[in-house]
Amino acid sequence: MKLLRYGAAGSEKPGLLDDNGHIRDLGGVVDDIGGQWLADLAWMRDVDIAGLPVVEEPQRLGPCVAGTGKFICIGLNFADHAAEAGLEVPPEPVIFMKATSAMSGPNDDIVIPKGSSATDWEVELGVVIGKHAKHVSQDEALDHVAGYCVVNDVSERDFQNKRSGQWTKGKSCDSFGPTGPWLVTRDEIADPQQLAMWLSVNGETMQNGSSATMVYGVAHLVSYLSQFMTLHPGDIVSTGTPPGVGQGLKPPRYLKPGDMVELGIEGLGSQRQSVRAHA
């Protein structure tokens, strides 16, 4: 099932995408797409999709998950991306956090923050946690996953690399976490390590990769993270990006007002963002 949230920012309603590409209102079934409703997806078995109201008017899509407590990112998780960054593949996953206030809808604008000259793009596979996970094995890990989504891990490289400290400051600006368009439940994705990933800027393909080249796969990451922190329903793990980011080009190329970014992952839908300057 493809679960989503639609409506004005801050007032999103729960919905799903039916087989004909129509949004159906889930408001009479669940409170929102998050928390307890992700911890136990048994409620989906009783949903009569054909009987749900169709949302007729065009609607903005919000982040596909509500109430995310942790937005955890994995760095340098594609060997070819690490190579373009001139860095070695790490012996263990690199973990950093993206502020949840950075989350935005999949088609909302990317806002270049004040003082930025190096705002970059990164298509990533997002893993949405369903059941609480603490000290789980790799064999158990996927049982704790509710589903998957597209994430654009927008990054300000100067904030990230030249301002000292951790990467979080270059990853957490407002609008730097487009998430969605929908949460595709785990049963619809046979193998999360076999998904094509792509991103273009102004129609030019910049990233064309696959989750098959991830150094640490989804099961490994969920298990690994659960050794350090309890993962809660609605937490998102953004699993790294393939090569083709602006920082890796020679010379580097970054986003500017008026650019159009489009990205997607096989089976998970696509995003489209206009870039504008900080007001």
Side-chain angles (χ1 to χ4, degrees):
M1 192 172 288
K2 296 179 174 65
L3 304 175
L4 56 87
R5 302 172 66 247
Y6 69 93
S11 301
E12 292 91 349
K13 300 175 182 178
L16 61 79
L17 193 74
D18 69 18
D19 290 340
N20 295 314
H22 298 131
I23 295 176
R24 300 276 184 161
D25 179 19
L26 271 175
V29 180
V30 297
D31 296 331
D32 211 336
I33 307 301
Q36 62 176 328
W37 302 108
L38 294 179
D40 184 358
L41 295 175
W43 58 269
M44 293 193 307
R45 292 195 294 265
D46 299 324
V47 174
D48 175 17
I49 295 177
L52 295 174
V54 175
V55 179
E56 300 286 357
E57 297 296 324
Q59 293 281 342
R60 167 192 173 268
L61 294 178
C64 59
V65 183
T68 295
K70 295 189 289 295
F71 200 156
I72 308 165
C73 299
I74 308 299
L76 304 174
N77 196 31
F78 286 68
D80 36 11
H81 172 56
E84 77 172 349
L87 299 169
E88 294 184 2
V89 174
E92 294 189 35
V94 171
I95 302 172
F96 62 92
M97 308 295 282
K98 183 185 284 282
T100 57
S101 57
M103 293 178 67
S104 58
N107 304 317
D108 291 349
D109 291 349
I110 293 173
V111 181
I112 296 178
K114 185 177 180 180
S116 168
S117 59
T119 296
D120 205 348
W121 57 81
E122 293 190 12
V123 58
E124 303 205 1
L125 170 64
V127 179
V128 181
I129 300 300
K131 299 177 183 177
H132 286 83
K134 184 174 184 178
H135 299 298
V136 300
S137 69
Q138 288 193 47
D139 290 342
E140 302 172 305
L142 294 187
D143 293 336
H144 297 263
V145 172
Y148 306 96
C149 63
V150 181
V151 172
N152 189 353
D153 178 19
V154 185
S155 309
E156 214 297 333
R157 300 303 188 186
D158 287 348
F159 294 0
Q160 176 186 355
N161 298 320
K162 298 180 181 179
R163 300 290 294 273
S164 300
Q166 299 182 352
W167 290 0
T168 301
K169 66 182 71 174
K171 300 284 188 171
S172 296
C173 302
D174 292 349
S175 83
F176 272 26
T179 305
W182 28 77
L183 186 168
V184 180
T185 52
R186 181 166 57 91
D187 59 295
E188 291 201 15
I189 303 300
D191 185 354
Q193 305 306 150
Q194 296 293 330
L195 303 177
M197 308 168 67
W198 61 272
L199 181 145
S200 68
V201 179
N202 300 328
E204 178 183 359
T205 299
M206 308 305 295
Q207 294 185 273
N208 186 13
S210 169
S211 61
T213 64
M214 288 168 59
V215 177
Y216 302 106
V218 172
H220 181 103
L221 291 172
V222 172
S223 173
Y224 182 83
L225 291 168
S226 78
Q227 310 308 310
F228 302 99
M229 64 192 84
T230 301
L231 303 177
H232 295 266
D235 286 351
I236 297 174
V237 182
S238 197
T239 56
T241 196
V245 299
Q247 177 179 238
L249 301 177
K250 300 185 186 306
R253 171 179 165 186
Y254 297 116
L255 295 173
K256 60 185 185 302
D259 283 347
M260 179 65 68
V261 181
E262 298 179 83
L263 61 148
I265 298 178
E266 180 182 359
L268 303 183
S270 60
Q271 304 181 351
R272 189 171 190 265
Q273 295 120 21
S274 297
V275 180
R276 63 179 174 86
H278 171 79

